[in-house]
Amino acid sequence: MTRSSSIASQPHAAYTAETNPYEAMMKRFDVAAAKLELDPGLYKILRTPVREVTVSIPVALDNGHLEVFTGYRVLHNIARGPGKGGIRYAPTVTIEEVKALAAWMTWKCAVANIPFGGAKGGVICDPSRLSLGELERITRRYTAEIMDMLGPEKDVPAPDMNTNEQTMAWIMDTYSMHVRHTVTAVVTGKPVALCGSRGRREATGRGIMLIAREAAKKRKMKLKGARVVVQGFGNVGSIGAELMEAHGAKIVGVSDIRCGLFNKAGINMKKLLQYGAKHKFIEGFPGAGKVSNSELLELPCDILVPAATENQITSENAGQIKAKIIVEGANGPTTAEADAILNAKGVLVVPDILANAGGVTVSYFEWVQDRMGWFWKESEVNERLEDILVASFYDVDEMARSHKVNMRIGAYMLGMSRVAQNTKTRGIYA
Ligand code: GLU
């Protein structure tokens, strides 16, 4: 097999200074550290990952050939508890990205005030070109390779881009086979029947709806009647859109990986979800007109939810964005350069580490339920999720207002100050 035909890696466009995710994280980190007047020693500790691991994942493909994939797991910080964070499968995965995502998990868990540190994993692969069996073998070998890092008290993975409940079930099983007993709390986002939590699948989307509701209040608007555009129709975007519509919002634009749809009068989410389930993509849906991905982001609307991937709102298109509120469903969808432009325009940006914290919050509930062996009703999960997210929204708002910074820097300051406080109180082991 030649190098160019390999499915284990794809050429990845080099990042620019604006789009490198780790740099994007550090730019905000530096601003927040200065505002907090963070001790220089703590600055070094907080920015540095505890551990970065790269593993080779040899796998037998269905065609009989052997392939070697590359996987990463980065444990960023454990001052507040075990590492926590998803695993993504994509051809575009890089160590820079996984490092940034791991740090974002640290700040996210601290903003939500749940007892976890931050971690993230990724495998460079293209799931659309892999069979279920190949994905299972990749997952099991990757798990075996990072096995020593994992555990309910050490580092607890979860789904992220292109991974799901099935992936988590394989990880749980592989880990359990190695330790010779079933350990359900080693991953979250499992199927409900396999000790997953009710409401976990919907949690990130539900969080988007709750945060959009609070952000609208802050802007003296209402979610009811608001015109919403959602970029990305995966787990976060589709469920977020459906729940916002259920709370009275009008979803005027949506997109998936192939195309964007627009209808000024609103797109019926139930029908679109049915169409998407049947056709795999939303292209061709009769209830809306077609727009490009870049047009979608610039559509006239009240609330824009980028729920696809990193670097979607940049210095190139931020000036054309018409939304009054941006609720970040994806991690890192807005660059630091775009932040400055949106700030100057008066757009309220609710940052990823607050806006999409619903997922990890219910992951925390799943971990608690697994350790208790006692499972909650969906209404209890949703009620506790709402309590945590609404409290986090106002904690961030308070931090931002008292330091005269935007919500992004306010969220970093809140998360970083909580981690710094724990680090200081624990002291440095020597
Ligand atoms: N991958 C999700 C995130 O970025 C969820 C992480 C988790 O539940 O641990 O927040």
Side-chain angles (χ1 to χ4, degrees):
M1 185 174 278
T2 62
R3 203 175 160 186
S4 58
S5 68
S6 165
I7 61 165
S9 64
Q10 309 251 322
H12 182 254
Y15 297 123
T16 65
E18 179 173 355
T19 60
N20 180 313
Y22 191 70
E23 291 303 319
M25 189 284 296
M26 279 308 300
K27 280 177 201 157
R28 280 69 167 247
F29 179 91
D30 282 345
V31 176
K35 281 272 170 195
L36 285 170
E37 295 177 24
L38 191 68
D39 168 88
L42 282 171
Y43 173 92
K44 285 188 209 160
I45 293 175
L46 261 52
R47 63 170 290 177
T48 316
V50 168
R51 193 167 297 148
E52 282 173 47
V53 171
T54 303
V55 293
S56 298
I57 308 166
V59 169
L61 300 177
D62 292 349
N63 65 9
H65 288 127
L66 295 177
E67 190 51 274
V68 181
F69 296 85
T70 303
Y72 306 108
R73 185 76 185 167
V74 174
L75 181 64
H76 177 259
N77 191 286
I78 52 168
R80 292 173 47 88
K84 188 85 197 79
I87 291 171
R88 62 172 54 182
Y89 289 174
T92 49
V93 165
T94 64
I95 187 68
E96 293 293 291
E97 179 191 46
V98 179
K99 269 168 65 179
L101 289 161
W104 281 326
M105 286 310 304
T106 302
W107 318 135
K108 193 185 299 185
C109 292
V111 164
N113 217 353
I114 58 177
F116 286 118
K120 202 80 173 198
V123 176
I124 307 172
C125 66
D126 182 352
S128 70
R129 295 172 62 196
L130 294 161
S131 70
L132 200 63
E134 288 167 337
L135 282 169
E136 174 171 357
R137 294 194 287 282
I138 291 174
T139 303
R140 289 189 183 277
R141 184 60 187 250
Y142 169 64
T143 306
E145 293 295 339
I146 61 167
M147 170 87 196
D148 294 338
M149 294 174 80
L150 305 183
E153 312 292 341
K154 288 170 146 182
D155 180 3
V156 184
D160 198 80
M161 259 166 64
N162 298 326
T163 56
N164 54 29
E165 293 175 3
Q166 177 61 74
T167 324
M168 299 306 115
W170 291 327
I171 296 176
M172 194 274 272
D173 184 68
T174 306
Y175 182 89
S176 298
M177 287 298 114
H178 278 263
V179 299
R180 296 281 188 248
H181 60 104
T182 296
V183 184
T184 56
V186 69
V187 279
T188 58
K190 299 180 295 295
V192 172
L194 267 187
C195 298
S197 176
R198 292 186 178 87
R200 174 62 184 87
R201 192 187 302 158
E202 300 80 11
T204 316
R206 178 170 295 277
I208 296 298
M209 177 275 289
L210 294 167
I211 293 289
R213 185 188 73 191
E214 297 308 310
K217 268 190 219 160
K218 187 173 153 62
R219 269 291 135 95
K220 310 251 178 310
M221 288 163 41
K222 281 202 174 101
L223 186 55
K224 193 167 171 4
R227 295 164 306 157
V228 178
V229 169
V230 179
Q231 182 203 33
F233 212 60
N235 172 271
V236 181
S238 66
I239 294 170
E242 193 185 13
L243 288 173
M244 284 187 283
E245 186 192 54
H247 285 78
K250 190 157 56 159
I251 313 299
V252 294
V254 288
S255 69
D256 66 4
I257 197 151
R258 284 223 188 142
C259 91
L261 300 174
F262 175 59
N263 184 346
K264 229 168 89 178
I267 303 170
N268 183 309
M269 282 303 113
K270 200 169 163 207
K271 286 192 181 144
L272 184 63
L273 281 162
Q274 277 167 356
Y275 185 92
K278 194 164 160 210
H279 298 88
K280 237 180 124 193
F281 299 99
I282 60 175
E283 196 170 20
F285 178 67
K290 209 169 157 177
V291 289
S292 70
N293 186 46
S294 55
E295 287 167 336
L296 182 98
L297 294 171
E298 297 168 16
L299 286 173
C301 65
D302 301 303
I303 303 174
L304 172 64
V305 180
T309 185
E310 289 108 82
N311 298 324
Q312 297 302 299
I313 305 175
T314 66
S315 54
E316 273 167 35
N317 61 0
Q320 285 83 263
I321 288 200
K322 299 183 187 65
K324 300 179 186 79
I325 298 171
I326 296 178
V327 178
E328 294 185 333
N331 292 309
T334 311
T335 66
E337 286 74 0
D339 268 350
I341 298 168
L342 296 168
N343 228 10
K345 281 169 54 130
V347 180
L348 171 62
V349 180
V350 189
D352 43 11
I353 55 174
L354 167 62
N356 70 33
V360 75
T361 300
V362 178
S363 274
Y364 164 50
F365 299 160
E366 182 171 331
W367 180 77
V368 169
Q369 292 170 78
D370 284 348
R371 285 152 51 106
M372 291 195 300
W374 174 250
F375 292 87
W376 310 347
K377 289 189 293 197
E378 189 169 347
S379 56
E380 288 175 84
V381 169
N382 291 346
E383 204 177 299
R384 288 178 173 142
L385 170 65
E386 181 163 354
D387 286 349
I388 288 186
L389 284 188
V390 172
S392 304
F393 183 90
Y394 289 101
D395 285 352
V396 168
D397 190 45
E398 173 58 29
M399 182 64 101
R401 280 192 294 131
S402 61
H403 287 84
K404 299 193 171 43
V405 294
N406 60 30
M407 284 195 90
R408 166 132 27 231
I409 300 302
Y412 270 71
M413 289 174 74
L414 180 66
M416 287 162 58
S417 61
R418 285 179 174 161
V419 179
Q421 187 56 50
N422 273 34
T423 308
K424 237 163 59 188
T425 314
R426 285 177 67 151
I428 304 301
Y429 174 76

